[in-house]
Amino acid sequence: MRLFSVFRRRQTNPTPWNGTHPYDALPPRAYWKTGVADQTAAFIPHLYRKKFDISPTDKIATMGSCFAQHIGARLKSSGYRYVDLEPPPLRLPEARQKEFGYGIYSARYGNVYTVRQLLQLIDRAYGRFTPHDSVWEAEGRYFDPFRPTMEPNGFSSPEEVRVLHEKTMLAVRQIVEESDVIVFTLGLTEAWVSRSDGAVYPVCPGTTAGRFNPSSHEFRNFTFSEIMRDLEKVISIVARVNPSARWVLTVSPVPLTATASGDHVLAATTYSKSILRAVAGEVAQRHACVDYFPSYEIITGPQARSLHYHENLRTVTADGVDSVMRHFFAEHPVLSFPDEARTSGRQKNDDDIVCEEGYLEKWASA
């Protein structure tokens, strides 16, 4: 009797119990056979249950790793009020807009792979953190270390880097202060940082721009407690200036391209995603303003049978993204899904997703 009482207290939303033990009154979603094995890859009923409403009039911003680009595109094409504070200039052809960082996220901050990177992005926007390493130079061209692929051929001067950086920081402040919902996709635990001030780069210096220097740069694999602490700080900072802001956390189902941890990339991916999933789950349990959306489980779960990945077992197919968003829109319905939005929101091809981490593949050898 005492053990059963403990079980009941620990349940967040306990199922009414009318039988001989707690398991004879559970719904089908609680059992592996009926909840997973008997389901299809396309849709699992009741997998996701929203914590709060999101209306089409809510201002929604997206941040995070590469997979968040899919989510943002579908939200935008499905009638939600998607925030884009740095639209492309009219003279820039649509086919080249993503190449210059436009239309990827709600501002031109590029991929934010780690929670520490997100925390520093917000701190930079409010002037609380200024990295020592602010401009990279190569052959007379200049690059932003924290969005090194934002200008494919670099900028013409350090001043141009700084001016455009300030424009993006203004947009970040506006996102923090005015968004009703922020969707953040946790992507990696691994990162390269500056030894001098701990500034986190989106990708290892020297892979896309800049020069790697072991005396200046070091590898970090952030722990559960570090990521938890950083994410709590982010939520607290946003709550102070925007008390009504809500969060939807997801974990990217995209495996690591490469690992510098010394482990096999499969084991490193499992470690990284497990940590991020645990952090996201605990933070969602702690805060009423934070919801967890299981895009990771939808793509990687056994019921998917790897059907949601391309042949490289890494990039997610359009059908996979369809499945993810079908689960989301089942709880947050919009009029244009699944007919119009299912096709209009799709990325034209894999190249439409901008992912600096993907550059690491060119160093792979058999």
Side-chain angles (χ1 to χ4, degrees):
M1 177 64 76
R2 183 175 179 274
L3 288 175
F4 177 63
S5 298
V6 172
F7 173 85
R8 295 280 289 179
R9 285 199 301 271
R10 288 181 178 176
Q11 284 186 296
T12 304
N13 295 300
T15 300
W17 178 69
N18 297 309
T20 58
H21 56 75
Y23 292 93
D24 68 357
L26 295 176
R29 69 192 295 267
Y31 296 95
W32 186 265
K33 181 182 185 302
T34 50
V36 180
D38 292 346
Q39 303 302 327
T40 67
F43 187 77
I44 301 179
H46 310 297
L47 173 60
Y48 170 55
R49 288 181 171 178
K50 65 182 178 182
K51 181 181 284 188
F52 44 71
D53 291 330
I54 300 176
S55 76
T57 59
D58 284 335
K59 289 184 285 187
I60 304 177
T62 58
M63 296 177 165
S65 69
C66 308
F67 190 77
Q69 296 175 39
H70 288 299
I71 297 176
R74 299 303 177 90
L75 290 173
K76 187 187 306 183
S77 66
S78 300
Y80 277 96
R81 191 179 175 187
Y82 182 77
V83 174
D84 187 354
L85 297 177
E86 290 191 274
L90 295 176
R91 66 181 183 279
L92 184 63
E94 183 179 357
R96 301 200 65 191
Q97 289 173 5
K98 289 181 180 293
E99 182 183 351
F100 289 85
Y102 293 103
I104 300 176
Y105 294 109
S106 296
R108 293 180 76 202
Y109 34 71
N111 293 306
V112 181
Y113 293 105
T114 63
V115 179
R116 181 67 58 85
Q117 189 185 348
L118 173 63
L119 176 61
Q120 291 183 355
L121 174 66
I122 295 174
D123 280 344
R124 284 191 290 132
Y126 283 93
R128 292 189 293 262
F129 178 55
T130 303
H132 300 158
D133 200 7
S134 59
V135 179
W136 284 339
E137 186 272 335
E139 299 179 354
R141 302 296 292 178
Y142 300 88
F143 299 84
D144 186 334
F146 304 100
R147 43 182 189 171
T149 61
M150 197 60 58
E151 191 79 16
N153 299 313
F155 296 95
S156 60
S157 68
E159 183 61 22
E160 187 178 6
V161 174
R162 296 187 182 99
V163 168
L164 293 177
H165 168 267
E166 285 304 315
K167 182 180 179 181
T168 299
M169 292 304 101
L170 178 63
V172 171
R173 291 197 297 273
Q174 191 172 343
I175 288 169
V176 168
E177 295 168 10
E178 299 179 9
S179 295
D180 297 303
V181 179
I182 300 174
V183 179
F184 178 62
T185 298
L186 292 82
L188 299 174
T189 59
E190 297 187 12
W192 288 88
V193 307
S194 168
R195 290 183 182 273
S196 65
D197 59 5
V200 177
Y201 304 106
V203 68
C204 180
T207 56
T208 58
R211 298 182 183 89
F212 179 74
N213 185 341
S215 64
S216 302
H217 309 126
E218 66 177 345
F219 174 75
R220 291 287 304 275
N221 199 0
F222 292 108
T223 65
F224 175 91
S225 58
E226 290 175 319
I227 299 169
M228 173 67 72
R229 187 163 52 247
D230 288 345
L231 190 52
E232 288 283 3
K233 285 182 181 178
V234 168
I235 293 170
S236 176
I237 289 170
V238 174
R240 284 199 294 269
V241 296
N242 186 0
S244 62
R246 288 160 288 154
W247 293 80
V248 175
L249 299 180
T250 70
V251 173
S252 170
V254 179
L256 277 67
T257 300
T259 178
S261 66
D263 295 326
H264 189 283
V265 68
L266 178 59
T269 294
T270 302
Y271 172 86
S272 180
K273 302 302 181 179
S274 298
I275 293 290
L276 297 175
R277 175 60 182 91
V279 169
E282 183 161 340
V283 170
Q285 289 179 13
R286 289 183 180 185
H287 299 277
C289 66
V290 180
D291 195 8
Y292 174 75
F293 174 67
S295 59
Y296 178 78
E297 290 85 343
I298 294 166
I299 298 299
T300 67
Q303 84 291 339
R305 296 170 173 82
S306 297
L307 294 175
H308 292 329
Y309 287 110
H310 287 285
E311 290 183 1
N312 62 7
L313 300 181
R314 185 174 182 275
T315 53
V316 177
T317 66
D319 285 339
V321 180
D322 281 344
S323 179
V324 167
M325 299 312 297
R326 185 175 292 109
H327 286 79
F328 184 85
F329 291 133
E331 288 290 291
H332 302 287
V334 289
L335 295 177
S336 58
F337 193 86
D339 297 324
E340 297 90 340
R342 189 171 184 270
T343 54
S344 65
R346 283 188 171 190
Q347 303 294 338
K348 295 183 180 64
N349 51 59
D350 290 337
D351 293 334
D352 284 342
I353 295 299
V354 180
C355 189
E356 296 96 340
E357 197 201 6
Y359 284 86
L360 300 177
E361 282 191 339
K362 69 179 181 180
W363 283 278
S365 58

